[in-house]
Amino acid sequence: MLMHMRKFSILFVLLSILCSCAGPKGTGQAEAGERVSKPQTMKPVGQNAAQSGKTAKVPDHVVIVVEENHSRQNIIGNRAAPYMNSLTKQGAYFTESYANAHPSQPNYLILFSGSDQGVHNDSCGHTFTVPNLASELFKHKFTFAGYSEDLPSVGSTVCTNKSYGRKHSPWVNFTNIPKSANRRFTDFPADYTQLPTVSFVIPNLDHDMHDGTIQSADKWLKQNMGPYVEWAKSHNSVLILTWDEDDYGSRNHIPTIIVGDHIRQAVFDQNITHLNVLRTMEDLYGLSHLGRTSGSEPIRNLWKPS
């Protein structure tokens, strides 16, 4: 009898250990609002992702808005930026997002072409012929436009006009992009179905926090991009909100927020830079990897499970 009890006790312990190791069954997907820190691999999906059953559904439209010269600490939790902070709860908010350089212009060039193209300042008048996000999109039969506030005319190459600065509109410098893709913000369509596949929106220096206040930039973003954000959530479209650089801190720690249809509502601690954002765009649309994006990973776990 004693022997049988010992065998039963040993069996019970072994079963307990096995059960505790197995853990609860589940999908392995983080729910909306959770912190996402263990990324899964996102495969390049190309144009027919919705039909092929891949991880991500290719957005019909992506709008990228770039703000200026403020760190994550300046913005997140700041009462002067209620709309921007509300976006952190509506989509993917990245707590470990970093710019690549100082000052502004190299970051815009990196986000657009995967390289600073040898530019390490805010000088004007550069000309480049290398592939970039826009030229790759056109090559693959997609569309692109850059919308800059206070640009004097479509295709203009002026360095400044009112509160417009060419240093913040990198596509102007590339000769392999048609001038018609360099547009005024007043050309941003009210009918969002008419947007190009990918577009940049560059507020002027008063509305991007460079010269104006955080509060002014927040109000401008809500007024001008808020309707698009709400539309995007149900129309297979996305907004990417990021900053060119921080307030010249040593870490260059910036906010990045992605909101839209099929985007997971979660806090991400994946370490990303402008290169990861560009790499994600490349993989979504099946584009070539530009510059340093060949050595960068796309953003992981961005999409809701289908």
Side-chain angles (χ1 to χ4, degrees):
M1 183 69 174
L2 182 60
M3 181 66 67
H4 286 301
M5 290 181 66
R6 286 177 178 174
K7 288 181 179 180
F8 180 80
S9 298
I10 293 170
L11 180 61
F12 179 80
V13 171
L14 288 173
L15 287 172
S16 299
I17 293 171
L18 287 172
C19 290
S20 64
C21 291
K25 292 181 180 180
T27 63
Q29 300 285 351
E31 296 297 325
E34 289 190 357
R35 180 173 296 274
V36 178
S37 59
K38 292 184 178 180
Q40 298 171 345
T41 300
M42 185 183 83
K43 300 176 181 178
V45 294
Q47 188 172 5
N48 297 315
Q51 288 74 32
S52 65
K54 299 288 186 178
T55 304
K57 183 175 181 180
V58 178
D60 293 331
H61 310 282
V62 175
V63 176
I64 303 169
V65 180
V66 186
E67 305 285 354
E68 278 277 313
N69 297 18
H70 282 72
S71 69
R72 172 178 171 267
Q73 185 177 2
N74 295 152
I75 303 301
I76 303 304
N78 191 328
R79 293 182 180 179
Y83 182 66
M84 293 175 181
N85 277 273
S86 74
L87 292 178
T88 66
K89 299 176 177 63
Q90 298 177 44
Y93 162 50
F94 295 86
T95 62
E96 299 299 324
S97 174
Y98 298 89
N100 296 92
H102 294 299
S104 294
Q105 187 163 224
N107 290 296
Y108 284 90
L109 290 166
I110 289 168
L111 179 59
F112 187 69
S113 69
S115 167
D116 62 17
Q117 306 302 333
V119 177
H120 306 292
N121 53 40
D122 286 334
S123 56
C124 182
H126 301 286
T127 301
F128 310 115
T129 60
V130 297
N132 53 75
L133 177 59
S135 68
E136 281 293 305
L137 285 164
F138 286 128
K139 178 181 176 181
H140 288 79
K141 309 304 180 185
F142 296 106
T143 52
F144 170 86
Y147 298 93
S148 302
E149 192 178 20
D150 285 348
L151 181 75
S153 60
V154 174
S156 173
T157 59
V158 298
C159 291
T160 59
N161 180 68
K162 297 181 180 177
S163 292
Y164 163 79
R166 175 171 157 174
K167 61 185 178 179
H168 296 163
S169 302
W171 50 89
V172 183
N173 302 307
F174 291 82
T175 59
N176 52 7
I177 302 173
K179 289 186 176 181
S180 59
N182 181 26
R183 303 180 191 176
R184 302 163 298 179
F185 181 66
T186 53
D187 299 320
F188 193 84
D191 177 1
Y192 301 132
T193 64
Q194 300 304 306
L195 279 166
T197 310
V198 177
S199 56
F200 276 69
V201 168
I202 306 299
N204 68 23
L205 296 174
D206 292 327
H207 296 143
D208 67 1
M209 305 185 188
H210 186 282
D211 293 344
T213 64
I214 293 174
Q215 185 177 41
S216 176
D218 189 75
K219 288 181 177 179
W220 188 94
L221 186 73
K222 181 178 181 179
Q223 179 180 345
N224 291 280
M225 289 290 105
Y228 167 75
V229 169
E230 295 308 309
W231 178 88
K233 291 175 183 177
S234 58
H235 289 84
N236 192 36
S237 297
V238 172
L239 172 81
I240 299 176
L241 175 65
T242 192
W243 273 250
D244 68 328
E245 60 177 328
D246 71 357
D247 49 352
Y248 245 85
S250 59
R251 298 184 67 202
N252 225 342
H253 197 182
I254 59 172
T256 295
I257 305 163
I258 303 179
V259 180
D261 204 3
H262 308 297
I263 298 295
R264 188 191 300 274
Q265 291 176 293
V267 178
F268 291 73
D269 61 8
Q270 179 186 353
N271 190 305
I272 66 168
T273 71
H274 296 314
L275 289 166
N276 303 99
V277 175
L278 178 57
R279 172 61 185 263
T280 303
M281 302 296 295
E282 293 166 350
D283 284 5
L284 274 175
Y285 295 104
L287 313 180
S288 299
H289 296 150
L290 302 165
R292 290 159 55 196
T293 62
S294 60
S296 303
E297 291 192 348
I299 294 171
R300 308 294 190 183
N301 274 332
L302 185 59
W303 310 96
K304 293 178 181 177
S306 56

